[in-house]
Amino acid sequence: MSIQDVPSKSSDLHATKILLENSRKHFMGLNMGSINMKYLVEMQLAVRGTKEAMIQRPLFHAIVCPMSPLYYPEDEIERLKVCGENGLPVKVAVEPMLGASAPVTLAGTIAQGNAEVLGAFTLLQILYPGIPTVYYCYPSVVEMRTGNSITGGPENLLLYAALAQLGTRYYKMPSECPALVSDGFIFEQLLLQKGMGTFMAAASGAAVLSGAGTLDGGMGSSLAQLAIDDEIVQIMRRIWAKFDVNENKIGLDAVHRAGPKGNFIVDEHTYNHFRDEIRFYPSIFDFRTYSDWAKDSRGVHERSQNKVSEILNNHEVPPLEDAVIRELERIVKAAD
């Protein structure tokens, strides 16, 4: 999310400094323009130490944004050149709006969005052959009665799934899908849209899911929702995990030993295998019975807030060296 208490033209640099100081995970580095992109590269170099180390394990990737329909602004190409010259991965955010900047039909938006992604890939690989990227198209649906942009409706899910299938199965590329973006802020609606979106994305072969923690079509963000979305993704990972089917796992011997009206609690097959299969144990959702829940009736939202507090209070990130922090401060000050 964009921060508001710093100079607006360098807010991306202030945000990146905070992320670099407080996380060692890879993130998407939003940038305000090609000039800022050069400062962002400096900041990443300050943390990674060398260009070779940065290329080997980049701490963030950049995003460039063509405009639908079919237009690539000059400064977006300049951003791309900064990334290409420094070996950073680039995500091209193609974001057509059905009925506004793309055809009003699902098939038409898919065709145009796919063409815009392929055009971006062509430009990327001509300028910088082999530059890392993903297949990413994030279409929204214009509500013709109001002009609002819808991101989590059933038509969106169909668009996301079709485009993820094109990227993954047809072009053999990792695909990103905005599966966890949802409309509004009604809690029950968020759970429905995010759960359905994650299922559709997983079924379509998407490699990266974006939108975790967001609500109101991406205009807001919630740490409690982020924790819930994490658990939704864990559930989906369990559904898509493999399980073995073989003579041992089928356990016909155990069935014969138990026999009619028997049980498997004390059988050796249970003892040997109850840790084999992956089990999902919720930390936010609740598998207890009503009678057990009545003794501790915290809901999903309260449990997620407790988890957020636990993480914020206990999670530790290895600190950057003082010299690196001073260099990051110098870069941001120079940009300001």
Side-chain angles (χ1 to χ4, degrees):
M1 306 301 289
S2 300
I3 54 179
Q4 305 295 320
D5 56 349
V6 297
S8 60
K9 290 184 178 181
S10 59
S11 61
D12 52 344
L13 305 179
H14 287 267
T16 298
K17 177 177 177 292
I18 292 170
L19 286 165
L20 290 172
E21 288 177 345
N22 291 280
S23 175
R24 296 296 172 268
K25 296 181 179 180
H26 183 93
F27 60 90
M28 181 180 72
L30 291 175
N31 56 88
M32 305 295 288
S34 57
I35 294 175
N36 290 36
M37 193 65 237
K38 295 176 182 177
Y39 287 114
L40 289 170
V41 171
E42 277 192 63
M43 295 173 74
Q44 185 159 180
L45 278 171
V47 176
R48 295 299 290 134
T50 66
K51 184 175 180 179
E52 290 72 22
M54 182 177 71
I55 294 173
Q56 183 69 26
R57 185 186 180 278
L59 296 175
F60 59 81
H61 64 277
I63 181 170
V64 296
C65 300
M67 294 175 62
S68 298
L70 309 170
Y71 175 61
Y72 226 127
E74 180 180 355
D75 193 65
E76 299 296 329
I77 297 177
E78 292 300 317
R79 298 188 210 197
L80 165 61
K81 289 165 66 177
V82 174
C83 295
E85 289 162 4
N86 289 279
L88 287 181
V90 177
K91 178 168 68 184
V92 180
V94 173
E95 301 185 3
M97 299 180 70
L98 185 147
S101 59
V104 74
T105 57
L106 296 179
T109 294
I110 291 167
Q112 179 187 303
N114 183 60
E116 290 171 330
V117 172
L118 295 182
F121 285 168
T122 303
L123 178 62
L124 287 173
Q125 300 306 323
I126 287 175
L127 292 175
Y128 304 101
I131 187 171
T133 188
V134 297
Y135 186 104
Y136 180 67
C137 188
Y138 177 12
S140 57
V141 176
V142 174
E143 168 53 75
M144 291 299 176
R145 295 174 300 178
T146 63
N148 292 336
S149 175
I150 307 300
T151 59
E155 293 79 16
N156 296 92
L157 302 188
L158 289 169
L159 289 168
Y160 301 158
L163 289 159
Q165 285 181 320
L166 277 172
T168 302
R169 300 179 183 176
Y170 192 76
Y171 300 117
K172 310 298 182 186
M173 293 189 64
S175 298
E176 179 169 341
C177 180
L180 289 159
V181 175
S182 58
D183 302 299
F185 46 84
I186 299 172
F187 185 57
E188 294 82 358
Q189 177 179 312
L190 295 178
L191 290 181
L192 172 68
Q193 290 185 323
K194 288 169 177 283
M196 291 180 64
T198 303
F199 181 87
M200 290 286 281
S204 303
V208 181
L209 307 187
S210 53
T214 63
L215 43 89
D216 197 13
M219 297 302 292
S221 183
S222 161
L223 291 178
Q225 186 63 55
L226 180 61
I228 294 169
D229 291 352
D230 177 70
E231 189 136 314
I232 290 173
V233 171
Q234 289 183 49
I235 292 171
M236 207 55 56
R237 280 179 168 168
R238 175 60 191 101
I239 292 173
W240 252 258
K242 297 178 180 179
F243 62 93
D244 294 327
V245 179
N246 54 46
E247 184 176 350
N248 194 24
K249 288 297 180 72
I250 291 173
L252 286 179
D253 290 346
V255 176
H256 290 309
R257 285 192 295 271
K261 297 186 178 182
N263 73 78
F264 295 82
I265 293 294
V266 297
D267 192 87
E268 64 184 62
H269 186 268
T270 302
Y271 178 79
N272 292 332
H273 294 289
F274 80 96
R275 284 194 174 97
D276 286 358
E277 302 284 350
I278 300 172
R279 291 289 191 274
F280 173 77
Y281 295 101
S283 61
I284 292 177
F285 294 108
D286 200 337
F287 289 177
R288 296 175 299 166
T289 63
Y290 175 78
S291 58
D292 288 334
W293 173 83
K295 300 171 186 175
D296 176 13
S297 57
R298 290 177 297 166
V300 169
H301 193 265
E302 186 178 359
R303 288 158 69 95
S304 68
Q305 288 179 315
N306 291 341
K307 186 171 184 178
V308 166
S309 297
E310 179 185 344
I311 292 170
L312 292 178
N313 289 331
N314 298 316
H315 181 67
E316 295 183 0
V317 178
L320 296 175
E321 295 179 5
D322 291 343
V324 174
I325 294 176
R326 289 195 298 270
E327 177 65 4
L328 292 177
E329 292 173 346
R330 183 197 66 76
I331 294 169
V332 173
K333 185 176 180 180
D336 286 341

